[in-house]
Amino acid sequence: SQTIHQWPATLVQPVGSPLSLECTVEGTSNPNLYWYRQAAGRGLQLLFYSIGIDQISSEVPQNLSASRPQDRQFILSSKKLLLSDSGFYLCAWSGLVLFDEQYFGPGTRLTVT
Amino acid sequence: QQQVKQSPQSLIVQKGGISIINCAYENTAFDYFPWYQQFPGKGPALLIAIRPDVSEKKEGRFTISFNKSAKQFSLHIMDSQPGDSATYFCAASRLGSARQLTFGSGTQLTVLP
């Protein structure tokens, strides 16, 4: 069965510090991968998606970036965090067969202080 | 054009009652409509989904009703239980390279015992 992992689970970082969040998927090959951000009490905003290694599309221009160095690894990064980057970051995957269905990871709670 | 509008923002239902959450969309290119359930501090979980070629889909106590002409769809939770208390998100996507989901703003459901 497929499993999606995210780490760290929680993170507190000062303004201006760098960021690296990691997401990995097990049990599937060539998944589509997604990064979403969820502000407190709000819906989910798609940040980036990837259909393959080194193929990244950005939905919202901001100081975040994403990379996919391996087939089942998706990384969200920032060189300098802003207060507005605080939120709940969710990684999701979808498969080649049931490509409509997206499955989410457990999320990373980021607080920028 | 890409928005999905969800209502109500919050809903309180007695145990055993019917919970109804509504969503409306504008983009007629959308052709996949999932609902997600999210518990506090967790990632959203895919609950049920529908395509425009059917007007209703039922899985256990959960039913999606779809009205293509009105561009609306709704989630009905029959015999609501306290364990159903969570935030529910509707979403929509269209055929594309990665099936990006556009989410509604969420409905916080509380089922009273």
Side-chain angles (χ1 to χ4, degrees), chain B residues 63-78:
Chain B
T63 300
I64 300 179
S65 296
F66 186 83
N67 186 328
K68 186 175 182 178
S69 60
K71 293 186 287 186
Q72 296 176 348
F73 59 109
S74 61
L75 176 69
H76 296 235
I77 306 175
M78 311 300 289

Side-chain angles (χ1 to χ4, degrees), chain A residues 14-83:
Chain A
V15 168
S17 63
L19 173 73
S20 181
L21 304 181
E22 189 166 342
C23 170
T24 59
V25 181
E26 296 177 352
T28 187
S29 297
N30 302 315
N32 291 330
L33 295 173
Y34 311 82
W35 277 113
Y36 290 86
R37 177 169 59 199
Q38 184 175 30
R42 303 288 297 276
L44 285 78
Q45 180 187 37
L46 179 63
L47 302 175
F48 301 94
Y49 67 91
S50 170
I51 62 172
I53 294 174
D54 295 329
Q55 300 180 66
I56 311 293
S57 296
S58 173
E59 288 292 299
V60 182
Q62 54 207 321
N63 70 319
L64 299 173
S65 62
S67 62
R68 184 171 177 175
Q70 301 180 39
D71 180 46
R72 291 171 292 175
Q73 183 185 33
F74 206 21
I75 297 172
L76 183 69
S77 303
S78 174
K79 293 182 179 179
K80 289 185 178 182
L81 283 169
L82 307 172
L83 284 174

Side-chain angles (χ1 to χ4, degrees), chain B residues 5-16:
Chain B
K5 296 182 180 180
Q6 184 172 345
S7 63
Q9 185 175 359
S10 62
L11 180 62
I12 299 175
V13 175
Q14 292 288 338
K15 178 182 177 182

Side-chain angles (χ1 to χ4, degrees), chain B residues 11-57:
Chain B
L11 180 62
I12 299 175
V13 175
Q14 292 288 338
K15 178 182 177 182
I18 302 174
S19 303
I20 301 174
I21 305 171
N22 301 298
C23 284
Y25 63 98
E26 298 173 351
N27 189 344
T28 55
F30 286 146
D31 64 353
Y32 175 71
F33 302 88
W35 284 89
Y36 284 83
Q37 179 189 57
Q38 185 179 31
F39 293 103
K42 306 295 184 182
L46 180 60
L47 194 59
I48 187 172
I50 197 168
R51 295 189 181 280
D53 53 346
V54 297
S55 60
E56 185 175 282
K57 183 175 181 180

